[in-house]
Amino acid sequence: MDDLDYGGRAKIGLIYPAMGWVMEPEFTAMAPKGVSIQTTRVMNGSTDKEGLNDLIIAGTKQAASLLAAIPTDILMFGCTSASFCNGVKYEKNMIAEMEKEFGLPFVTTSTAVAEAVKAVGAKKVAFATPYIEDLNVLAKAYLESCGIEVLNTKGLGLLYDKDMDATPLEKIYELAKSVDVPEADAVLILCTGVRSVPIIEMLEKDLKKPVISAIQASMWYSLKTLGIDTNEVKGFGSLFEK
């Protein structure tokens, strides 16, 4: 270990729902040498729209202020559903407000996923989630407003992060395989509360197409925004080659 291991190249400030525990180890696994992850949690309850809006309104700005005090080099809002549930316009306004207040790049998982889909050249996608159907409808609307056609969706119908985070990798693997359709250019695994990055390369081999997960895309887009070469990240999918 040397001083570089303490975020000598960059510090990513992660804002994450309090009930979750999956994103941090997966983020750390993907982080290039010299990039560290600092996390501040925000209290959350259910993952229906009402619960997600409580998370956004009550906690995000306070969490950002704590991370900005370090200071980190970028703020990542690591909750997929909370960043898409009110649509693209709301999300862009939130990003602009946060960047103005804290003077740091502020990025969201939903933006990261949309940018990742474009980076791999996909026009049509299928996506798997742990969500209830109401949230899948909002996710589809968000992606389509970004110019991405959604051909198929499947959710596990889970309402609480503790159940999402506890879902085994094997179950996520089978869910992602089952949602694929031949016409889809890529398969997405949405939600930063489900395990995903260890199975991405295996899924890409099986499906013969890019696989993008919310956590993987969040790291890729954070590094891209920081100007760090994403090719340094190996073993977590073809996205990092883009």
Side-chain angles (χ1 to χ4, degrees), residues 1 27 34 118 124 126 138 148 153-154 161 167 209-210 223 237:
M1 178 175 283
F27 241 39
K118 295 172 186 175
K124 302 176 181 180
L138 293 175
I148 300 162
T153 73
K154 280 192 179 182
D161 277 16
T167 304
K209 63 185 64 177
L223 296 176

Side-chain angles (χ1 to χ4, degrees), residues 22 26 29-30 128 167-178 187-190 194-216 235-238:
V22 163
E26 293 201 349
M30 292 183 288
T167 304
L169 267 171
E170 293 82 2
K171 189 166 186 176
I172 300 303
Y173 179 82
E174 293 303 325
L175 180 68
K177 282 186 68 176
S178 70
V187 169
L188 315 183
I189 303 171
L190 301 184
V194 293
R195 309 166 197 212
S196 61
V197 301
I199 58 174
I200 288 173
E201 291 208 328
M202 189 183 304
L203 280 168
E204 289 190 332
K205 288 178 183 176
D206 285 349
L207 302 178
K208 296 179 173 53
K209 63 185 64 177
V211 174
I212 296 167
S213 88
I215 296 177
Q216 171 216 40
F236 299 103
S238 58

Side-chain angles (χ1 to χ4, degrees), residues 24-211:
E24 289 151 308
E26 293 201 349
F27 241 39
T28 299
M30 292 183 288
K33 185 172 178 60
V35 176
S36 65
I37 315 300
Q38 280 72 43
T39 306
T40 294
R41 281 172 151 66
V42 288
M43 187 53 67
N44 65 305
S46 61
T47 58
D48 53 14
K49 189 171 182 179
E50 182 179 357
L52 292 167
N53 278 325
D54 286 344
L55 181 155
I56 296 168
I57 294 165
T60 306
K61 189 168 286 190
Q62 181 183 8
S65 69
L66 293 172
L67 292 166
I70 293 175
T72 57
D73 298 292
I74 190 171
L75 300 167
M76 159 52 69
F77 184 46
C79 183
T80 320
S81 50
S83 54
F84 70 59
C85 69
N86 292 309
V88 171
K89 184 177 179 181
Y90 182 99
E91 181 196 34
K92 288 187 182 302
N93 287 340
M94 178 176 68
I95 291 169
E97 182 181 340
M98 289 292 196
E99 291 188 337
K100 181 179 179 181
E101 179 154 350
F102 297 107
L104 293 169
F106 183 91
V107 294
T108 74
T109 294
S110 291
T111 294
V113 169
E115 291 297 318
V117 170
K118 295 172 186 175
V120 300
K123 305 290 186 184
K124 302 176 181 180
V125 303
F127 69 72
T129 81
Y131 303 142
I132 59 175
E133 185 57 27
D134 286 353
L135 272 191
N136 283 343
V137 170
L138 293 175
K140 183 175 185 287
Y142 177 94
L143 290 171
E144 291 184 340
S145 70
C146 295
I148 300 162
E149 186 177 352
V150 177
L151 301 180
N152 196 27
T153 73
K154 280 192 179 182
L156 295 176
L158 303 178
L159 195 56
Y160 293 98
D161 277 16
K162 63 183 178 63
D163 299 317
M164 298 177 186
D165 289 65
T167 304
L169 267 171
E170 293 82 2
K171 189 166 186 176
I172 300 303
Y173 179 82
E174 293 303 325
L175 180 68
K177 282 186 68 176
S178 70
V179 80
D180 184 34
V181 292
E183 299 82 8
D185 303 317
V187 169
L188 315 183
I189 303 171
L190 301 184
C191 186
T192 58
V194 293
R195 309 166 197 212
S196 61
V197 301
I199 58 174
I200 288 173
E201 291 208 328
M202 189 183 304
L203 280 168
E204 289 190 332
K205 288 178 183 176
D206 285 349
L207 302 178
K208 296 179 173 53
K209 63 185 64 177
V211 174

